[in-house]
Amino acid sequence: PQAISQQRLVWLRCIGVPLHLWNLNFFTRFAERWELLISMDASTSSHSSLAVARMLILTTHPKTIDGTLPVRWRLEEFFIRVCEERSGVDYAFDWL
């Protein structure tokens, strides 16, 4: 019998990332909530678009990732909206 991998690659869109946290270290740690950061898209890495961050993650999380998550930095708490892209397109963010 062959083992079936439960891992999947997922593009996530993140809205509301504070500019002072917009760096590889933050995105790497943020992605650990689901498992592992694989990469970020070019506009996220180059800071050419700061409205939406896109990151590719590897996860075993079985359900669609969609929600608002708290992030603590020093004494402040921020909320980041995260939505899994479906088929490379995320209709939840058509207005951006």
Side-chain angles (χ1 to χ4, degrees):
Q2 274 187 315
I4 297 174
S5 175
Q6 300 300 314
Q7 294 179 319
R8 60 193 185 103
L9 287 171
V10 175
W11 278 102
L12 296 180
R13 287 187 182 226
C14 305
I15 295 179
V17 177
L19 296 179
H20 60 282
L21 297 180
W22 198 285
N23 59 63
L24 181 59
N25 184 50
F26 169 76
F27 287 112
T28 299
R29 293 188 62 200
F30 188 63
E32 288 173 355
R33 293 173 184 235
W34 300 282
E35 201 160 330
L36 179 68
L37 176 68
I38 301 299
S39 69
M40 296 185 299
D41 77 344
S43 61
T44 301
S45 296
S46 68
H47 302 105
S48 63
S49 173
L50 299 173
V52 178
R54 290 182 70 233
M55 57 184 189
L56 180 64
I57 64 165
L58 179 67
T59 184
T60 55
H61 193 277
K63 296 183 179 180
T64 300
I65 299 168
D66 185 12
T68 302
L69 302 171
V71 171
R72 292 194 63 80
W73 185 76
R74 295 189 180 172
L75 298 176
E76 296 184 69
E77 185 172 50
F78 303 94
F79 294 91
I80 299 176
R81 172 84 170 99
V82 180
C83 187
E84 179 178 325
E85 293 183 2
R86 295 170 191 95
S87 303
V89 177
D90 183 9
Y91 299 103
F93 293 108
D94 280 347
W95 50 272
L96 288 177

